[in-house]
Short mmCIF file of all heavy atoms in Angstrom, two decimals:
data_model
loop_
_atom_site.label_atom_id
_atom_site.label_comp_id
_atom_site.label_asym_id
_atom_site.label_seq_id
_atom_site.Cartn_x
_atom_site.Cartn_y
_atom_site.Cartn_z
N HIS A 949 -15.68 5.51 -15.58
CA HIS A 949 -15.78 6.55 -14.55
C HIS A 949 -14.88 7.75 -14.87
O HIS A 949 -15.03 8.80 -14.27
CB HIS A 949 -15.41 5.98 -13.18
CG HIS A 949 -16.48 5.16 -12.58
ND1 HIS A 949 -16.33 3.81 -12.35
CD2 HIS A 949 -17.74 5.48 -12.17
CE1 HIS A 949 -17.44 3.35 -11.81
NE2 HIS A 949 -18.31 4.33 -11.70
N ARG A 950 -13.97 7.61 -15.79
CA ARG A 950 -13.04 8.70 -16.15
C ARG A 950 -13.59 9.55 -17.29
O ARG A 950 -13.63 10.76 -17.21
CB ARG A 950 -11.69 8.11 -16.52
CG ARG A 950 -10.69 9.10 -17.00
CD ARG A 950 -10.00 9.77 -15.83
NE ARG A 950 -8.92 10.59 -16.35
CZ ARG A 950 -8.78 11.86 -16.03
NH1 ARG A 950 -9.57 12.43 -15.18
NH2 ARG A 950 -7.78 12.54 -16.53
N CYS A 951 -14.04 8.92 -18.40
CA CYS A 951 -14.46 9.69 -19.59
C CYS A 951 -15.94 9.55 -19.92
O CYS A 951 -16.44 10.28 -20.76
CB CYS A 951 -13.62 9.29 -20.80
SG CYS A 951 -13.92 7.61 -21.38
N GLY A 952 -16.63 8.60 -19.30
CA GLY A 952 -18.06 8.44 -19.55
C GLY A 952 -18.43 7.56 -20.73
O GLY A 952 -19.61 7.40 -21.04
N ARG A 953 -17.44 6.99 -21.39
CA ARG A 953 -17.70 6.12 -22.55
C ARG A 953 -18.52 4.91 -22.13
O ARG A 953 -18.27 4.28 -21.11
CB ARG A 953 -16.36 5.67 -23.12
CG ARG A 953 -16.47 4.75 -24.28
CD ARG A 953 -15.08 4.41 -24.79
NE ARG A 953 -15.13 3.19 -25.58
CZ ARG A 953 -14.10 2.45 -25.85
NH1 ARG A 953 -12.92 2.77 -25.41
NH2 ARG A 953 -14.24 1.36 -26.57
N VAL A 954 -19.54 4.57 -22.95
CA VAL A 954 -20.36 3.38 -22.69
C VAL A 954 -19.52 2.15 -23.03
O VAL A 954 -18.88 2.08 -24.07
CB VAL A 954 -21.65 3.40 -23.53
CG1 VAL A 954 -22.42 2.10 -23.36
CG2 VAL A 954 -22.51 4.59 -23.14
N LEU A 955 -19.51 1.18 -22.12
CA LEU A 955 -18.69 -0.02 -22.27
C LEU A 955 -19.55 -1.25 -22.46
O LEU A 955 -20.69 -1.29 -22.03
CB LEU A 955 -17.82 -0.20 -21.02
CG LEU A 955 -16.98 1.01 -20.63
CD1 LEU A 955 -16.39 0.82 -19.26
CD2 LEU A 955 -15.90 1.26 -21.66
N ASP A 956 -19.00 -2.26 -23.11
CA ASP A 956 -19.67 -3.55 -23.18
C ASP A 956 -18.77 -4.60 -22.53
O ASP A 956 -17.67 -4.28 -22.06
CB ASP A 956 -20.06 -3.92 -24.61
CG ASP A 956 -18.87 -4.09 -25.54
OD1 ASP A 956 -17.78 -4.49 -25.07
OD2 ASP A 956 -19.03 -3.85 -26.74
N SER A 957 -19.21 -5.82 -22.51
CA SER A 957 -18.47 -6.87 -21.78
C SER A 957 -17.08 -7.13 -22.35
O SER A 957 -16.21 -7.64 -21.66
CB SER A 957 -19.28 -8.17 -21.76
OG SER A 957 -19.48 -8.62 -23.08
N ARG A 958 -16.83 -6.72 -23.60
CA ARG A 958 -15.51 -6.93 -24.20
C ARG A 958 -14.54 -5.79 -23.91
O ARG A 958 -13.35 -5.97 -24.04
CB ARG A 958 -15.64 -7.11 -25.71
CG ARG A 958 -16.40 -8.37 -26.09
CD ARG A 958 -16.73 -8.35 -27.55
NE ARG A 958 -17.64 -7.21 -27.74
CZ ARG A 958 -18.03 -6.73 -28.91
NH1 ARG A 958 -17.60 -7.27 -30.00
NH2 ARG A 958 -18.85 -5.71 -28.99
N THR A 959 -15.05 -4.61 -23.55
CA THR A 959 -14.17 -3.46 -23.38
C THR A 959 -14.08 -2.96 -21.95
O THR A 959 -13.29 -2.06 -21.67
CB THR A 959 -14.65 -2.28 -24.26
OG1 THR A 959 -15.98 -1.93 -23.89
CG2 THR A 959 -14.58 -2.63 -25.72
N VAL A 960 -14.85 -3.51 -21.04
CA VAL A 960 -14.87 -2.99 -19.67
C VAL A 960 -13.70 -3.54 -18.84
O VAL A 960 -13.35 -4.70 -18.94
CB VAL A 960 -16.22 -3.28 -18.99
CG1 VAL A 960 -16.41 -4.76 -18.74
CG2 VAL A 960 -16.37 -2.51 -17.70
N LEU A 961 -13.07 -2.66 -18.07
CA LEU A 961 -12.05 -3.04 -17.10
C LEU A 961 -12.57 -2.63 -15.73
O LEU A 961 -13.08 -1.53 -15.55
CB LEU A 961 -10.74 -2.30 -17.38
CG LEU A 961 -10.07 -2.62 -18.71
CD1 LEU A 961 -8.91 -1.65 -18.94
CD2 LEU A 961 -9.56 -4.03 -18.72
N ARG A 962 -12.44 -3.51 -14.77
CA ARG A 962 -12.92 -3.21 -13.42
C ARG A 962 -11.82 -3.48 -12.40
O ARG A 962 -11.00 -4.36 -12.58
CB ARG A 962 -14.14 -4.07 -13.09
CG ARG A 962 -15.36 -3.68 -13.87
CD ARG A 962 -16.60 -4.35 -13.31
NE ARG A 962 -17.78 -3.89 -14.00
CZ ARG A 962 -18.43 -4.57 -14.92
NH1 ARG A 962 -18.01 -5.76 -15.27
NH2 ARG A 962 -19.50 -4.07 -15.50
N SER A 963 -11.88 -2.71 -11.34
CA SER A 963 -10.94 -2.88 -10.23
C SER A 963 -11.69 -2.56 -8.95
O SER A 963 -12.56 -1.69 -8.93
CB SER A 963 -9.75 -1.94 -10.39
OG SER A 963 -8.85 -2.10 -9.32
N LEU A 964 -11.34 -3.25 -7.89
CA LEU A 964 -11.97 -3.02 -6.60
C LEU A 964 -11.02 -2.18 -5.75
O LEU A 964 -9.86 -2.55 -5.54
CB LEU A 964 -12.26 -4.36 -5.91
CG LEU A 964 -13.06 -4.31 -4.63
CD1 LEU A 964 -14.45 -3.75 -4.89
CD2 LEU A 964 -13.16 -5.69 -4.03
N ALA A 965 -11.51 -1.04 -5.28
CA ALA A 965 -10.73 -0.16 -4.41
C ALA A 965 -11.29 -0.26 -3.00
O ALA A 965 -12.47 0.00 -2.78
CB ALA A 965 -10.79 1.27 -4.92
N HIS A 966 -10.45 -0.65 -2.05
CA HIS A 966 -10.88 -0.84 -0.67
C HIS A 966 -10.42 0.32 0.19
O HIS A 966 -9.27 0.73 0.13
CB HIS A 966 -10.30 -2.15 -0.14
CG HIS A 966 -10.70 -2.44 1.27
ND1 HIS A 966 -9.83 -2.30 2.32
CD2 HIS A 966 -11.87 -2.85 1.80
CE1 HIS A 966 -10.45 -2.61 3.44
NE2 HIS A 966 -11.68 -2.94 3.16
N ASP A 967 -11.33 0.86 1.01
CA ASP A 967 -10.99 1.92 1.96
C ASP A 967 -10.80 1.29 3.33
O ASP A 967 -11.77 0.88 3.97
CB ASP A 967 -12.11 2.96 2.00
CG ASP A 967 -11.78 4.15 2.89
OD1 ASP A 967 -10.86 4.03 3.74
OD2 ASP A 967 -12.44 5.18 2.76
N PRO A 968 -9.57 1.18 3.80
CA PRO A 968 -9.32 0.52 5.08
C PRO A 968 -9.85 1.30 6.29
O PRO A 968 -10.05 0.73 7.35
CB PRO A 968 -7.80 0.38 5.14
CG PRO A 968 -7.28 1.42 4.22
CD PRO A 968 -8.33 1.62 3.17
N VAL A 969 -10.08 2.59 6.14
CA VAL A 969 -10.54 3.41 7.25
C VAL A 969 -11.98 3.05 7.64
O VAL A 969 -12.28 2.79 8.80
CB VAL A 969 -10.44 4.92 6.92
CG1 VAL A 969 -11.03 5.77 8.03
CG2 VAL A 969 -8.98 5.29 6.67
N ASP A 970 -12.87 3.03 6.65
CA ASP A 970 -14.27 2.73 6.98
C ASP A 970 -14.73 1.36 6.50
O ASP A 970 -15.88 0.98 6.69
CB ASP A 970 -15.20 3.82 6.47
CG ASP A 970 -15.23 3.95 4.96
OD1 ASP A 970 -14.62 3.11 4.27
OD2 ASP A 970 -15.87 4.89 4.46
N GLY A 971 -13.84 0.61 5.84
CA GLY A 971 -14.17 -0.75 5.45
C GLY A 971 -15.03 -0.87 4.20
O GLY A 971 -15.51 -1.94 3.89
N THR A 972 -15.23 0.23 3.47
CA THR A 972 -16.06 0.17 2.26
C THR A 972 -15.20 -0.18 1.05
O THR A 972 -13.97 -0.06 1.07
CB THR A 972 -16.77 1.51 2.00
OG1 THR A 972 -15.77 2.53 1.83
CG2 THR A 972 -17.69 1.87 3.15
N ALA A 973 -15.86 -0.59 0.00
CA ALA A 973 -15.19 -0.89 -1.26
C ALA A 973 -15.93 -0.21 -2.40
O ALA A 973 -17.16 -0.05 -2.34
CB ALA A 973 -15.13 -2.39 -1.50
N THR A 974 -15.20 0.19 -3.42
CA THR A 974 -15.76 0.83 -4.60
C THR A 974 -15.30 0.08 -5.82
O THR A 974 -14.11 -0.24 -5.94
CB THR A 974 -15.28 2.30 -4.69
OG1 THR A 974 -15.67 2.98 -3.51
CG2 THR A 974 -15.87 3.00 -5.89
N VAL A 975 -16.21 -0.19 -6.74
CA VAL A 975 -15.84 -0.81 -8.00
C VAL A 975 -15.54 0.30 -9.00
O VAL A 975 -16.40 1.14 -9.29
CB VAL A 975 -16.96 -1.72 -8.54
CG1 VAL A 975 -16.58 -2.28 -9.91
CG2 VAL A 975 -17.24 -2.84 -7.57
N LEU A 976 -14.32 0.33 -9.48
CA LEU A 976 -13.92 1.30 -10.50
C LEU A 976 -14.13 0.67 -11.86
O LEU A 976 -13.72 -0.47 -12.10
CB LEU A 976 -12.44 1.68 -10.33
CG LEU A 976 -12.04 2.24 -8.97
CD1 LEU A 976 -10.54 2.40 -8.91
CD2 LEU A 976 -12.75 3.54 -8.71
N THR A 977 -14.74 1.39 -12.78
CA THR A 977 -15.00 0.90 -14.13
C THR A 977 -14.31 1.83 -15.12
O THR A 977 -14.49 3.05 -15.04
CB THR A 977 -16.51 0.87 -14.41
OG1 THR A 977 -17.15 0.11 -13.39
CG2 THR A 977 -16.82 0.23 -15.74
N ALA A 978 -13.52 1.28 -16.03
CA ALA A 978 -12.78 2.10 -16.98
C ALA A 978 -12.74 1.45 -18.35
O ALA A 978 -12.98 0.25 -18.50
CB ALA A 978 -11.37 2.34 -16.47
N CYS A 979 -12.40 2.28 -19.36
CA CYS A 979 -12.33 1.79 -20.73
C CYS A 979 -10.91 1.44 -21.15
O CYS A 979 -10.70 0.84 -22.20
CB CYS A 979 -12.92 2.82 -21.69
SG CYS A 979 -12.02 4.37 -21.73
N SER A 980 -9.92 1.82 -20.34
CA SER A 980 -8.53 1.52 -20.69
C SER A 980 -7.70 1.37 -19.41
O SER A 980 -8.08 1.89 -18.36
CB SER A 980 -7.94 2.65 -21.54
OG SER A 980 -7.77 3.82 -20.77
N PRO A 981 -6.57 0.70 -19.51
CA PRO A 981 -5.70 0.57 -18.33
C PRO A 981 -5.23 1.94 -17.82
O PRO A 981 -5.09 2.14 -16.62
CB PRO A 981 -4.52 -0.26 -18.83
CG PRO A 981 -5.04 -1.00 -20.00
CD PRO A 981 -6.08 -0.11 -20.63
#
């Protein structure tokens, strides 16, 4: 989501970001920490 690099299962990092105001969650996908 930061640089647009195509990722595969060995290089993908994911994190769940929760919005406490409206209760939604977003999956962040990145190529590096």
Side-chain angles (χ1 to χ4, degrees):
H949 283 115
R950 176 83 173 128
C951 67
R953 178 178 160 199
V954 175
L955 306 169
D956 63 30
S957 61
R958 295 168 296 170
T959 59
V960 68
L961 296 171
R962 290 192 176 103
S963 180
L964 187 62
H966 180 254
D967 184 342
V969 175
D970 64 6
T972 61
T974 302
V975 176
L976 303 173
T977 305
C979 63
S980 70

